[in-house]
Amino acid sequence: QEGWFTYDPGFVSTAACESKITFIDGANGVLLHRGYPIEQLAENADYLEVCYLLLHGELPSAKENERFRNTVNNHTMIHDQMGRFFNGFRRDAHPMAIMVGVVGALSAFYHDTMDLTDEREREIAAFRLIAKMPTIAAMCYKYSIGQPFMYPRNDLGYAENFLYMMFGVPCEEYKVNPIIAKAMDRIFILHADHEQNASTSTVRLAGSTGANPFAVIASGIAALWGPAHGGANEAVLNMLNEIGDESRVEECVERAKDKDDPFRLMGFGHRVYKNFDPRARVMRDTAHEVLKELGMENDPLLRIAQRLEQIALEDEYFIERKLYPNVDFYSGIILKAIGIPTSMFTVIFAMSRTIGWFAHWNEMVSGSYRIGRPRQLYTGYSKRDYPNK
Ligand code: SDX
């Protein structure tokens, strides 16, 4: 009805916000973080440098870089009592369920002493989250396989330390393969931020109520879990396993086009990119590097993925709808090759995206903001009276 859809500043302040952090040109497959192309950051920077860039708007000087790393290292351990939360979960609990719970519980340890209006306090919250996410994520994995938690090692790089906490055991020395660590770090960079995607918009909306950053990041983790969003990397691996063999690829591509068939090409399509996701190209090259390093160039899943990409990119249905591989299409192949179980794939996405969520939250709460209050187009009954008995 005329005039029903009123202008609501609260809606605009979260649904169509302003930001200086990330720019996406979906038609041309462009992704910039504070003006730097993702391809150049993936090639030249490491994840902690990208964290600094997303937070502060500039790449760090050598001195700033060292200070940033040292401060992250001061926060890699979690409060000993937090370790007890894990015992409340079943061993086969999905690690994303544990992440939502444990990261949200960080609020119980830090938020009541935090003044959101104090820039320094917000920066400390950033350090705590950047530093603790790998520790908590690795604990999720160790808990699921019944192995002891590994304490973080601050003498290792960020990605190396994560792999050490994931695969190291107390009774043996664990040497991290530098090529695998570099690939892991690049996966962290490629997932760090992506403008107003579903989970970042969730974070902004939750943050607009004045909630503390730990609870707000937990809301982002929950939103990311869905298979249409961050859960897609796990869904890609499940899809490739369902296809099972290169000979079945054509049949499955046909199924993906059939509206009555629930089968979709996971890792294909995007709400914004109507061209190649620039991250997918870097991820594909990284997949080849990792599989070559591990002597797995003929990995059957890689072969199925390559065949799938080749057929879909030549298929009218996908061309017409501008459906291209997205960031999730190759990431799962790399993670599987490294030995990471599919249930941990979205956890790794959440670890990496924590800095993007935090940077957007921080950008919003650093300025003046109002509570988000999206409106709706009401399509239900108009006013009616309760029937006389
Ligand atoms: C991420 O937003 C972000 O930035 C997210 C993200 C980030 O970094 O935060 O980039 C991460 O979430 C990447 C996307 C991961 N999800 C998947 O890979 C799941 C598979 N993809 C689809 O579910 C889908 O492509 C979406 C959810 C990503 C986008 O859905 P849309 O917006 O509905 O897709 P669309 O409007 O572009 O679809 C146009 C047509 C439709 O068919 P028609 O109604 O026009 O006939 O294409 C079809 C869709 O049905 N379609 C697909 C398809 N994706 C869209 N058909 C088959 N397989 C697919 N994957």
Side-chain angles (χ1 to χ4, degrees), residues 228-241:
H229 188 14
N233 49 19
E234 182 176 351
V236 166
L237 251 290
N238 297 336
M239 171 190 74
L240 294 176
N241 283 316

Side-chain angles (χ1 to χ4, degrees), residues 87-339:
N87 294 331
F89 292 100
R90 287 178 10 189
R91 291 280 180 181
D92 63 350
H94 195 291
M96 282 298 279
I98 302 177
M99 289 296 285
V100 171
V102 176
V103 173
L106 285 170
S107 314
F109 290 81
Y110 302 115
H111 103 276
D112 48 3
T113 59
M114 190 184 163
D115 171 4
L116 299 191
T117 62
D118 182 328
E119 186 183 354
R120 179 69 190 129
E121 300 228 355
R122 292 200 303 271
E123 192 184 27
I124 292 170
F127 283 126
R128 282 178 165 147
L129 283 159
I130 295 167
K132 295 180 193 312
M133 286 300 273
T135 307
I136 296 169
M139 290 171 80
C140 289
Y141 174 61
K142 286 300 197 188
Y143 182 73
S144 73
I145 59 173
Q147 282 191 357
F149 298 144
M150 295 297 284
Y151 279 94
R153 274 185 47 189
N154 291 340
D155 60 315
L156 298 178
Y158 192 83
E160 277 182 291
N161 184 32
F162 172 64
L163 291 169
Y164 165 75
M165 292 188 287
M166 279 284 290
F167 299 121
V169 287
C171 44
E172 281 169 19
E173 192 193 353
Y174 179 76
K175 289 296 279 170
V176 181
N177 178 324
I179 292 175
I180 304 301
K182 175 72 189 148
M184 192 78 249
D185 194 82
R186 196 176 294 155
I187 287 176
F188 291 151
I189 292 173
L190 294 172
H191 288 88
D193 187 51
H194 211 241
E195 199 219 63
Q196 302 311 320
N197 55 85
S199 53
T200 301
S201 298
T202 301
V203 161
R204 278 186 176 259
L205 198 53
S208 74
T209 69
N212 73 78
F214 305 101
V216 163
I217 296 299
S219 74
I221 296 173
L224 185 74
W225 194 357
H229 188 14
N233 49 19
E234 182 176 351
V236 166
L237 251 290
N238 297 336
M239 171 190 74
L240 294 176
N241 283 316
E242 185 184 341
I243 294 172
D245 185 88
E246 276 183 86
S247 61
R248 296 194 59 236
V249 170
E250 280 89 342
E251 166 206 333
C252 291
V253 168
E254 289 310 307
R255 284 185 56 199
K257 295 155 41 176
D258 177 356
K259 291 289 176 251
D260 298 328
D261 189 325
F263 184 87
R264 281 173 90 90
L265 284 197
M266 301 312 280
F268 259 79
H270 199 274
R271 291 298 275 139
V272 177
Y273 288 122
K274 301 309 170 189
N275 198 318
F276 236 94
D277 179 338
R279 301 168 296 176
R281 281 202 180 88
V282 180
M283 202 68 87
R284 181 179 55 195
D285 297 347
T286 305
H288 284 291
E289 277 171 34
V290 166
L291 293 175
K292 185 164 178 273
E293 170 66 17
L294 298 174
M296 297 166 69
E297 295 95 315
N298 292 319
D299 178 72
L301 291 181
L302 177 66
R303 305 259 300 263
I304 293 171
Q306 287 169 319
R307 183 86 184 107
L308 196 52
E309 179 183 350
Q310 181 193 6
I311 292 174
L313 292 182
E314 291 162 4
D315 185 290
E316 262 319 295
Y317 173 96
F318 291 90
I319 294 169
E320 264 169 33
R321 291 166 176 80
K322 300 185 183 343
L323 301 176
Y324 294 88
N326 59 48
V327 67
D328 294 302
F329 189 63
Y330 280 101
S331 58
I333 291 171
I334 301 170
L335 296 174
K336 179 180 181 296
I338 293 176

